[in-house]
Amino acid sequence: MQYTLITGASMGIGKALAEECAKEGMHLLLVALPGPELDQVCQDLVARYGIQAHPFAIDLTLEDAPRKVYDWSQTNGYEVNILINNAGFGTGGLFENTPLATYINMVRLNNQALVEMTYHFLPELKRHNNAHLLCLSSMEATLPLPYKAVYTGTKNFIYSFCLAIREELRPSTVRVSILCPGPVLTNPDGLKRIESQGGKGQILMTMPEKVAKIAVKKMLQNKAIIIPGALPIAIVRVLNLLPILWRMRILERVFRPYRDM
Ligand SMILES: NC(=O)c1ccc[n+]([C@@H]2O[C@H](COP(=O)([O-])OP(=O)(O)OC[C@H]3O[C@@H](n4cnc5c(N)ncnc54)[C@H](OP(=O)(O)O)[C@@H]3O)[C@@H](O)[C@H]2O)c1
């Protein structure tokens, strides 16, 4: 039996992706931090969609955690044909105002764990004819955001990494997609950041369910870069046409409200 494995699936975009995949009839392996939400999500999706869903609670920033996820799937005979690297977090504010430990954790989760998960599961994905790898980057991957410097860097890493291995994997059965949403209303921190942008943030804001619906559809169509929504697509295109120094000045001005977060 084939499974879709989703990290960070207990809430937010990951939970919405799990529901969208369940609607498509996919069986699920859901990974998140220990807590009651993950079990709840699995039970709910099994009851509503008649699929199989198994939870694995682990902190992906701990040493060798992705290997433990892989070992768990192998021990139980769960064959993974779709891997969705979704778990990640960000902070806003002047670079030097956030503790270094937070940045280290961010890089570990957003980048190191993602690379390790991909590395461990790739041979397994390659065994399937209908294999997909979907990674969560962000609309800001190509628009470095002042006052979110480390987060924006981790998302740019994911963007470059996925584009590169998509080309490497073109002769194989594995199709690689990058999901680059604009602001999505998921957790209270995100809401605070979106509100600090006033009207601008709210115009762009979207709901996790909408992002997930577009993401799963486009992933199955083998779209390389998935930016949900016409307005985020237009903004990314227009800003990327500008000379980089102008672009950075504009972004600094727009994101100045994040400075003291
Ligand atoms: N929200 C946005 O505006 C937005 C925009 C663009 C891109 N993204 C990206 O989309 C992804 C999901 O964002 P979100 O807003 O949906 O996040 P979220 O609501 O905060 O949910 C994060 C998920 O990741 C899990 N998680 C956090 N730390 C973990 C760890 N150390 N080990 C294992 N699992 C961990 C959480 O598990 P627990 O619940 O168990 O803690 C939760 O299931 C992230 O990569 C984010 O960068 C978000």
Side-chain angles (χ1 to χ4, degrees):
M1 189 177 281
Q2 294 179 333
Y3 286 86
T4 296
L5 191 156
I6 307 175
T7 64
S10 65
M11 56 194 257
I13 299 170
K15 181 179 170 188
L17 284 167
E19 170 135 17
E20 207 50 45
C21 291
K23 276 186 202 164
E24 293 284 327
M26 297 177 200
H27 302 298
L28 300 170
L29 302 178
L30 303 184
V31 177
L33 287 170
E37 294 85 5
L38 189 60
D39 290 345
Q40 195 56 56
V41 172
C42 282
Q43 285 165 18
D44 180 48
L45 294 178
V46 169
R48 287 199 290 135
Y49 297 103
I51 50 127
Q52 288 202 13
H54 305 289
F56 190 73
I58 194 162
D59 181 345
L60 285 168
T61 63
L62 297 179
E63 194 174 344
D64 235 13
R67 172 93 218 176
K68 287 180 182 147
V69 179
Y70 176 72
D71 289 346
W72 165 74
S73 73
Q74 291 293 298
T75 306
N76 288 286
Y78 303 142
E79 291 181 22
V80 174
N81 73 313
I82 302 182
L83 171 62
I84 303 184
N85 284 312
N86 162 77
F89 76 97
T91 54
L94 265 183
F95 169 69
E96 66 264 36
N97 285 355
T98 296
L100 182 58
T102 305
Y103 289 141
I104 303 286
N105 223 25
M106 197 185 294
V107 173
R108 282 209 179 119
L109 181 62
N110 297 8
N111 294 154
Q112 186 177 331
L114 179 142
V115 169
E116 288 183 43
M117 287 292 292
T118 306
Y119 194 86
H120 292 312
F121 279 96
L122 189 54
E124 165 79 24
L125 294 177
K126 280 182 164 177
R127 281 197 280 275
H128 299 271
N129 286 329
N130 53 344
H132 292 271
L133 169 67
L134 174 70
C135 295
L136 257 289
S137 177
S138 165
M139 175 188 166
E140 63 205 60
T142 57
L143 308 169
L145 294 194
Y147 313 120
K148 286 177 88 179
V150 176
Y151 177 71
T152 235
T154 66
K155 293 295 158 181
N156 186 278
F157 173 92
I158 295 168
Y159 188 85
S160 304
F161 169 71
C162 286
L163 280 182
I165 59 164
R166 183 180 161 92
E167 279 312 298
E168 285 184 28
L169 291 170
R170 213 140 55 87
S172 81
T173 56
V174 185
R175 293 141 216 159
V176 182
S177 302
I178 319 160
L179 178 56
C180 301
V184 186
L185 189 51
T186 51
N187 53 51
D189 265 5
L191 179 60
K192 217 166 81 186
R193 279 201 293 276
I194 291 165
E195 280 174 347
S196 77
Q197 286 286 302
K200 291 190 291 289
Q202 277 154 34
I203 291 172
L204 274 177
M205 191 184 78
T206 157
M207 300 308 285
E209 294 73 21
K210 187 175 168 202
V211 169
K213 195 177 173 60
I214 296 170
V216 172
K217 184 173 163 213
K218 301 277 181 192
M219 171 190 77
L220 294 174
Q221 291 170 353
N222 189 23
K223 178 119 169 86
I225 301 164
I226 306 165
I227 305 178
L231 188 56
I233 291 174
I235 290 173
V236 170
R237 286 205 182 134
V238 170
L239 283 173
N240 278 318
L241 289 175
L242 296 175
I244 185 84
L245 294 181
W246 293 14
R247 194 197 318 163
M248 291 314 299
R249 288 288 151 79
I250 293 169
L251 289 170
E252 192 282 326
R253 187 68 202 86
V254 172
F255 286 88
R256 206 173 286 169
Y258 284 7
R259 193 187 146 96
D260 299 316
M261 288 189 99

